[in-house]
Amino acid sequence: MRRLAAPLALLLASTACTTMETAPPMANSASDRMVSPILTRPDAVDSATYAKPQIARVTHVALDLALDFDAKRVSGAAELDVLAQPGAEEIVLDSNGLEIARVTDGAGRELQYQIGETIAEGGKGAPLTIALDGAQKLRIEYRAPADADALQWLSPEQTKGGVHPFLFSQGQAILNRTWIPTQDSPGIRQTWEARITAPKPLDVVMSGVRQGEPEDLGDGRRAFKFVMDKPVPPYLIAIAAGDIDFKAIGPRTGVWAEPATLDRAWKEVGDTEDMVVAAEQLYGDYRWGRYDMIVLPPSFPYGGMENPVMTFLTPTFIAGDRSNNGLVAHELAHSWSGNLVTNAVWEDSWLNEGVTSYFENRIVEAVYGRKRAEQEAALSFAAIEETLAEVGMDAPGSALHHEPGADELGSAITYDKGHFFMRTLERTIGRERFDAWLRQWFDNHAFQPATSELIYEDMLANLVSSPAEAQALKLREWIFEPGLPSNVVRPDPAAFAEVDAAVSAYTADGSIPAAYSGWSAAEQMRFLDNIPKTRSAEQLAALDSALGLSDAGNNEILFLWLELGLMNRYEPAVPKAEEFLAEVGRAKFVRPLFQVLWDEGEWGQPIARRIYAKTRDSYHAVARAGVDRIVKAD
Ligand code: BES
Ligand code: ZN
C-alpha cells in the first residue's frame, strides 16, 4: 500500500515532542523561521554528541566572528535560539577546545555555564552545559583555539597566488564543534546566519547565501553577511576566505577560485548547470536556490564536500577533460541525499553517501551517457569486491548500517555497497517505480533526519507491493547484514570488455595496449587497477614510457601509477611521489601513498618519514590524523 502522508515514525516523533514543535514564538522574529523536527526513536540517538535535544535544542545560530590570520583564530560571538521542554533547566552543547568568555541571555543577563571533561578520542570534545534560567536566546562570547581541527589556515606560500593567506573549514563529521559552539549532531537541524569580518582584499564565502555587498569597516577590514534560512545539520556550516574570484556558469550556478585557477576550474565544471537540470528531472526541484562551488587550494582534505549552495572542491579533480566530474555530480546529488534528508547518526552514513553515489551515477548517465555511467558503476562494484575479498564476507563493518564501534571499512561499503543496493532495487523493480519511490523519500523527508530503520519502513510502505517482494529483494539483508546479498545486480561485463581483454593480453605476454591513449579515464583506471601488482623496474619503465603515466594530467591516474611504482620499490617514482605529496593534501591520495611506502619496510619507511617531516604541517587536520596513524617516528 502506498501512503503519501509523512511516515508513521515521524508522526510519532512529532507527537512525542509536541511541546517542542509548537513552542511559543521567541522575542525576535524567530517565529517565521523554519524549525525541523527531531527523531526521538532509539536508532536516532547520536553517540557522537553531548546534546540532549529532547530536553533543549538549538534551532538557530547567529555567528558574529572575526577572522584573525595572524593568530590563526576566529573569535566573536554565537547567538543561539533555544527550543526547550517547559521547565528545562539546562542545555548541552558540543565544544572541542573553545574558549568561552561569557554566556548571557537575550536581555544581557549572565548565565552560568560549565565545560565538562574532554574525550579526546575521535574528537568528541567536551559538553558545554548552560543553565537556561528560562532563557530562549543565548549569547556565547568565545574564541576558537588556534589549532581548531575544522579550520585550515594557509600561508600565502600555500596558495597559487602566493600573496594572500587562505582559510577553509571542513565540518563533517564532528569537526565544527572546534569553531562553533552549538549542538553538533546531524539530527539537530538549525537555520543560521553569520557576519564575518576579514582583512582586505580577501573575499569570504559560506554555505549560505551572501547578503548584499561587503561593508567596508574603514580599518582595513570588511564585513560579509550570510543567511541559511533552511534548517541544516550543523556539519554543513562552512567558510572559506582568500583571494578568490567568481565566474558564472548558468543562471543559478557558478564557481569561485583563486584567480590563477579560476579559468581552468570554470572550464572543468562547465556542465554543472546541465547537471542541476538533470538532477531535478530525476528527483524533484533543487530547493536551495543557487548552486555555486569553490575550488580550494590542494590541501583540501577531500575530493569534495557538499556544503549547501557552495560545494567545496579539491583542485586535483581538474583533468582538462571533465573526466572527474562525477565528483561534481556527487556533491550536487547531496543537495537531496544528505542535505535534504540526512543521516541522524553517523552509523547510517550510507543514507547520505550510498544514496548519493547512486544518484551521482544517474546524473552522469543523463549528462555523459550510459556507457560512461556503466563504466563508473563497474569501478564502484570492483571496489566492493576488492574490500570484501580483503575483510571477508562476514566482517561486521561490511553491513550498510554500522553498529557503533564496528571497524570502518572505508568507502567501499557506505558508498559503493550503498550505491549497488539502490541500483539493485532499480534494476529489479524497474526505473519508473524506483524513481517515484526515491523522489517521494526526498519530498516526504525533506529537511529531516533519517535512519536505516526509517528508510526500511518507508520501503515497506512506499516501494514494495507486498512483504513477499520485500523478502525477495532482501531489503533487511542489504541494510543490516554483512557481505553482499545474492540478488545484487552486477555491472554489465561488456562495460570494460575491451580493457579487460587488454589486461589479459598484457598479463600473458607484456603487450602494452596501443589503444590506451584513446581510452576514457575510467578505462585507463580499470587497466591500471587490474594489471598484476608485482612489476619489475624494467616493466614499470616500459609502461611509463609507452603510456606517459608520470605525466598523466588526471590525478586519479597519476595516483594509481605512483602507488604501483612505490609498492614495487621503483626509484624513479619517488621524486614524483614526493612532489605530489608536497603539493596535494587530499586524504584519499595521501594516506594510501604513505601506506604503501610504510608497507615497504626498510626501503619505504625512511622515505615516508623523510617526506612526511616536510609535508605534515601543510596538511589539514583530517589528512594529518590519517597519516599520523601510518607513519610512526623512529
Ligand atoms: N561528504 C563527503 C565527504 C566526507 C565524508 C567528509 C565523510 C567527511 C566525512 C563527500 O560528499 C564525498 O563523498 N567526497 C568524495 C567524493 C567522491 C566519492 C566522488 C571524496 O572526497 O572523495
Ligand atoms: Zn559524498
Side-chain angles (χ1 to χ4, degrees), residues 236-551:
L236 291 176
I237 305 177
I239 188 168
D243 174 18
I244 48 175
D245 285 337
F246 174 78
K247 200 161 167 171
I249 301 164
R252 57 179 157 177
T253 46
V255 60
W256 291 85
E258 283 193 73
T261 311
L262 186 56
D263 276 328
R264 271 186 341 121
W266 179 79
K267 288 196 186 99
E268 203 74 7
V269 299
D271 299 316
T272 306
E273 185 71 32
D274 294 349
M275 288 186 178
V276 181
V277 171
E280 288 192 303
Q281 280 169 356
L282 283 165
Y283 299 122
D285 289 350
Y286 178 76
R287 303 190 192 216
W288 305 87
R290 292 199 58 86
Y291 183 77
D292 292 325
M293 296 160 279
I294 177 169
V295 175
L296 294 160
S299 68
F300 185 59
Y302 291 103
M305 180 64 213
E306 65 269 27
N307 299 315
V309 307
M310 187 64 67
T311 278
F312 281 22
L313 296 171
T314 175
T316 64
F317 87 102
I318 300 174
D321 60 3
R322 306 188 181 182
S323 55
N324 291 326
N325 282 12
L327 173 67
V328 177
H330 180 98
E331 304 315 334
L332 169 64
H334 273 306
S335 306
W336 289 258
S337 39
N339 298 0
L340 259 194
V341 187
T342 311
N343 53 229
V345 297
W346 295 113
E347 290 80 9
D348 279 334
S349 64
W350 75 273
L351 289 172
N352 283 17
E353 299 300 344
V355 178
T356 290
S357 297
Y358 170 79
F359 192 166
E360 165 196 339
N361 197 255
R362 292 294 300 276
I363 297 171
V364 167
E365 181 185 313
V367 175
Y368 297 115
R370 181 90 175 185
K371 183 168 180 198
R372 175 161 166 183
E374 289 301 310
Q375 289 188 337
E376 292 183 7
L379 291 180
S380 166
F381 190 73
I384 309 177
E385 287 192 305
E386 195 186 321
T387 292
L388 288 178
E390 220 169 274
V391 302
M393 291 294 258
D394 51 5
S398 68
L400 284 179
H401 166 77
H402 290 150
E403 286 305 317
D407 275 351
E408 272 297 326
L409 296 182
S411 63
I413 301 306
T414 46
Y415 289 68
D416 301 308
K417 184 179 173 183
H419 173 183
F420 269 77
F421 177 30
M422 294 296 109
R423 189 180 169 92
T424 296
L425 295 177
E426 177 228 305
R427 302 279 155 119
T428 310
I429 68 175
R431 215 168 237 202
E432 209 177 315
R433 254 174 84 197
F434 176 82
D435 283 354
W437 167 74
L438 191 51
R439 186 189 273 246
Q440 71 77 38
W441 168 252
F442 294 141
D443 283 344
N444 291 334
H445 298 265
F447 303 109
Q448 290 169 26
T451 64
S452 283
E453 288 288 0
L454 192 59
I455 200 172
Y456 173 71
E457 289 162 19
D458 193 85
M459 287 172 176
L460 289 188
N462 300 311
L463 176 67
V464 298
S465 49
S466 66
E469 194 181 21
Q471 282 286 333
L473 288 166
K474 302 184 188 293
L475 298 181
R476 285 203 79 83
E477 186 183 337
W478 269 101
I479 300 172
F480 296 105
E481 287 173 33
L484 195 59
S486 59
N487 66 331
V488 63
V489 175
R490 288 162 193 277
D492 181 357
F496 282 129
E498 184 193 346
V499 182
D500 292 346
V503 169
S504 303
Y506 173 75
T507 307
D509 62 14
S511 55
I512 297 177
Y516 177 91
S517 64
W519 283 350
S520 69
E523 289 169 327
Q524 296 183 344
M525 282 187 244
R526 173 77 163 200
F527 182 76
L528 293 171
D529 261 337
N530 286 7
I531 58 175
K533 294 272 175 283
T534 309
R535 301 281 81 189
S536 69
E538 293 70 36
Q539 288 169 322
L540 290 168
L543 277 176
D544 192 17
S545 79
L547 307 181
L549 297 169
S550 302
D551 300 317

Side-chain angles (χ1 to χ4, degrees), residues 204-224:
V204 180
V205 296
M206 289 190 83
S207 51
V209 179
R210 197 148 119 174
Q211 306 292 298
E213 288 303 307
E215 177 195 356
D216 198 318
L217 300 175
D219 59 353
R221 297 178 68 86
R222 295 191 296 173
F224 298 78

